[in-house]
Amino acid sequence: MEHMVTDRGNEPHTDFIYCCGAITEVLKYGPCQLHSGHKVLFLIIPDASLAVEGDVFGLNGQVEHKLAFLRKHVPRETSLVLVGHSIGCYIILEMMKRDPDLKVLKAIMLFPTIERMAQSPQGKVMTPMLCHMRYVAYLPVFLLSLLPDSLKSSLIKLVLSGIHYLDPTIVQPTVGLLSGDCAANAMYMGGQEMRKVLERDNTAIEKNLEKLIFYYGASDHWCPVQYYQDIKQDFPHGDIKLCKNGFRHAFVLDAGREVAEMVVEWIRGDMSFLFFF
């Protein structure tokens, strides 16, 4: 897979761009700018991203935000490999539904929260807070945001100390999330997810089934095994996997590299003929 990314010597770098009127952070690996000579783009869509205007924080706004990014910054002829985690999987399905002309080669759906979120074990716990009492949480989050970053780092390490193989690189990005605006936006988005992510969009899945790879957790409180069993029954010919490695929903905490290597193996055979640049 050494030819999957051009300019392999480049280090990862971050750009901040305006998209849908919002400041958007884009972490890139490879060339700074895409052009028609770049045949394939791997686009990773995690949980909700940050923005500042309108309802781009909302679920519908996040879908339109990603589509606007592709229209403005990615050549239309570029083929796409979409990788989503959690609500990012719902966003991917909506993107493919709203713009069926997207050149999506594969869409990887990691721990997909694409249905019945409020009915999941974690959803039952979080729905009252996110939908009815989220303003109560603003004050403690605001107070946390006033702490120096060094103290925030220590608190994060303490909270996550029970994870034996914690990836130390996640601490600093997590510090960045402990801002009042970021937390408020995340809770707003979460409340919309509980209200709007209801029934699975079987029509969109059926239309794109050959492009989709689903990966469900064996002990995921956001998308329990029953959801895996249900979608497996409804789409017996789909590429729908159940985790056998004990990865948690928030796999980036301790298994980011392992999941990345696994995803590469899934797509290596199907797409090796594309990586000629």
Side-chain angles (χ1 to χ4, degrees):
M1 299 294 280
E2 65 272 12
H3 301 299
M4 287 173 58
V5 181
T6 59
D7 297 343
R8 295 192 303 271
N10 289 358
E11 293 296 324
H13 56 280
T14 299
D15 284 346
F16 289 88
I17 63 173
Y18 274 95
C19 186
C20 292
I23 296 177
T24 303
E25 182 180 5
V26 183
L27 177 63
K28 299 180 179 180
Y29 188 85
C32 293
Q33 299 294 331
L34 289 173
H35 54 74
S36 58
H38 296 120
K39 303 299 183 182
V40 181
L41 170 68
F42 282 69
L43 180 63
I44 299 176
I45 303 176
D47 299 340
S49 64
L50 300 180
V52 292
E53 296 181 5
D55 193 39
V56 75
F57 286 120
L59 198 51
N60 177 69
Q62 283 290 295
V63 176
E64 292 300 324
H65 176 267
K66 304 304 180 285
L67 289 172
F69 172 82
L70 290 175
R71 287 192 292 267
K72 185 174 181 179
H73 298 282
V74 179
R76 191 67 177 178
E77 63 270 21
T78 300
S79 297
L80 300 170
V81 176
L82 303 177
V83 182
H85 169 249
S86 194
I87 197 63
C89 302
Y90 177 93
I91 292 172
I92 285 175
L93 282 179
E94 281 294 309
M95 290 170 63
M96 297 172 75
K97 178 180 179 180
R98 297 183 193 188
D99 190 349
D101 292 329
L102 285 176
K103 294 183 64 177
V104 178
L105 299 174
K106 282 290 180 182
I108 313 298
M109 319 291 264
L110 302 172
F111 304 91
T113 53
I114 57 174
E115 61 174 306
R116 295 176 282 174
M117 284 191 68
Q119 298 176 35
S120 68
Q122 192 68 12
K124 291 177 181 178
V125 173
M126 295 300 296
T127 295
M129 172 62 73
L130 293 173
C131 294
H132 308 297
M133 298 184 295
R134 61 188 173 92
Y135 294 103
V136 176
Y138 286 178
L139 178 58
V141 170
F142 172 72
L143 294 176
L144 278 173
S145 71
L146 300 178
L147 297 175
D149 284 355
S150 58
L151 185 52
K152 291 179 187 175
S153 296
S154 297
L155 289 173
I156 290 167
K157 292 175 183 176
L158 178 63
V159 170
L160 301 178
S161 61
I163 300 176
H164 297 298
Y165 301 103
L166 179 68
D167 184 345
T169 63
I170 65 96
V171 174
Q172 194 56 43
T174 306
V175 168
L177 297 177
L178 290 181
S179 71
D181 288 343
C182 183
N185 296 335
M187 286 187 280
Y188 171 66
M189 174 79 167
Q192 288 207 346
E193 293 171 24
M194 298 306 109
R195 291 189 175 101
K196 295 186 177 183
V197 181
L198 303 173
E199 298 302 318
R200 185 188 340 120
D201 192 338
N202 288 339
T203 301
I205 293 173
E206 179 68 38
K207 186 174 182 179
N208 298 284
L209 188 61
E210 75 284 354
K211 301 176 182 179
L212 301 173
I213 299 176
F214 291 93
Y215 188 75
Y216 282 82
S219 57
D220 188 341
H221 296 303
W222 280 113
C223 39
V225 172
Q226 183 62 52
Y227 292 10
Y228 159 79
Q229 295 170 343
D230 292 345
I231 192 174
K232 189 75 172 175
Q233 179 175 337
D234 291 344
F235 298 98
H237 302 297
D239 193 348
I240 304 169
K241 309 174 188 294
L242 184 65
C243 177
K244 298 179 180 179
N245 301 299
F247 297 145
R248 66 182 77 232
H249 184 87
F251 63 86
V252 294
L253 295 177
D254 56 357
R257 179 179 294 274
E258 291 83 351
V259 171
E261 291 172 348
M262 182 176 65
V263 169
V264 167
E265 287 302 314
W266 292 343
I267 61 178
R268 185 192 296 271
D270 290 341
M271 301 176 57
S272 58
F273 68 93
L274 290 169
F275 303 122
F276 55 85
F277 54 90

